[in-house]
Amino acid sequence: MHPNFLLVTLASAVAIFILTGLSALLATPRPTPPLTVDAARARLAQEFPDVAVSGVWLDPSGHAAVARASMRALVLFRVGDGYVARDLAWSALASAERKAGQVVAVFGDFAAPRAVFHPPPDAPWPPQLLPSPPSGDRQGA
Amino acid sequence: MEKAPFDVVTLATPAFILLIILEMVLGKLDPKRASYEPRDTFASLTMGLGSQVFGALTAGVVAATTVAVWRHRLFDISMTSAVAWIAIFFLEDLIYYWFHRLSHERRFWWASHVNHHSSQHYNLSTALRQTWTGGVNGSWCLWLLLAFLGFPPAMIFVEKGVSLVYQFWIHTEAIKRLPAPFEAVMNTPSHHRVHHARNPRYLDRNFAGILIIWDRLFGTFEPERDDEPCDYGVVKNLGGFNVFRIALHEWEAMARDLLRAKSLSEVWNYVFGPPGWSSDGSRKTSKDLKVAWQSRLNSPAGSAGSSP
Ligand SMILES: [Zn+2]
Ligand SMILES: [Zn+2]
């Protein structure tokens, strides 16, 4: 081991905090406007290219979307300035409890454990999906 | 000579930091040329630091084994020979190509390497998003071949450092294309962007370290296309920035699969099969994804079809 290993490690840790602070200060993430139905459909088509989606629901935050494909729920959720997609059984999503205004979808995946939704208090759960347009109008990603 | 006279990566670290700051400033001036997300940046840099720390834990074993193999070398190669440096430049880079290809095509090594690909960003901090578990997966044994040939261990460690330092600057969107002769021979930002992309066309392509010639030679080269921008990340992107999840998620998934395996053949495939292999075919390997993409291209009627 390098004799100055501890010193180099400490200096690196300080550099990490300075660089992270600078990246926050300079604020150069990608623009991530709230999802629209079209944007959600386009992203879902990219993530699940061979899957026919029957309807889409947008979270009021604009940071998540749910779509149904037969007995599966396709979930899109924002992480940082990007989006991540997972799927789970529709029944599992439907039975997720609403707590403190939130519904948590659990994926059983160490790499992406859960997505959080904020449905309006008076809205039903599972959410009511906006139906897909006729297949001729469907846009691929 | 058994001990490296200097550590190339440690020497280059101040330049890494300066270049990252410059790229951030460039991103502020022209957002199309660089983007940084603070949590993503923190995760990448912490992975880099962790890689140094965990690497140090196994460095002794790696060094001792390299020296032991070198003591049984075929030839005596001098560190002062220019020809020897030229030879190790090509040979080390060839070994890197096969190490990197193995790290993508077999899950046991992908489990260590996947973290380097787990960012949805492609900037200089991504270069430092390095493995924590590379020391324990044995991939370093590939470089023992150089010691067996007779290259002094110090020479091998210096050349490995040179390769790592070279690969730092290519992790950027700020440089579009370099002059054609350079792009033809060297690994460049454009070639390595393709390597970090999850578009089916780009999956498992451009494994080069310094020279792109190996990809051209072994049929894994894919040029970046202006009509298909790179979508960075992995096939199933990570749902957060927790560095422990980044470092260990594929190992956890492998352990879970092994607990469910019903035969020795399944055990073998879950460990040494291609990433994405599953006994029931419910998941997709890179090859499967490419075939599906190709068939969608060939049937313009539309992509939507079956249930997941
Ligand atoms: Zn790679
Ligand atoms: Zn890379």
Side-chain angles (χ1 to χ4, degrees), chain B residues 96 100 113 116-117 122 126-130 167 170-171 187 192-193 195-196 208:
Chain B
Y96 182 86
H100 196 186
H113 183 62
H116 180 63
H117 289 272
Y122 188 78
T126 315
L128 305 180
R129 190 177 274 238
Q130 294 288 334
Q167 291 176 58
I170 60 177
H171 289 84
N187 196 10
H192 202 60
R193 281 195 288 272
H195 180 67
H196 274 257

Side-chain angles (χ1 to χ4, degrees), chain B residues 52 62 88 110 114 125 131 144 222 236 245 250 276-277 283 292:
Chain B
Q52 290 291 104
V62 176
I88 199 173
W110 172 244
V114 58
S125 78
T131 182
L144 294 178
E222 185 69 42
K236 290 180 99 182
R245 289 189 197 278
E250 190 64 26
W277 184 89
R283 294 178 231 155

Side-chain angles (χ1 to χ4, degrees), chain B residues 18 20 55 75 105 186 199 213 229 288 296 302:
Chain B
L18 199 66
I20 289 174
F75 307 105
E105 295 184 347
M186 306 299 288
N199 316 40
I213 55 172
D288 298 333
R296 285 196 300 278

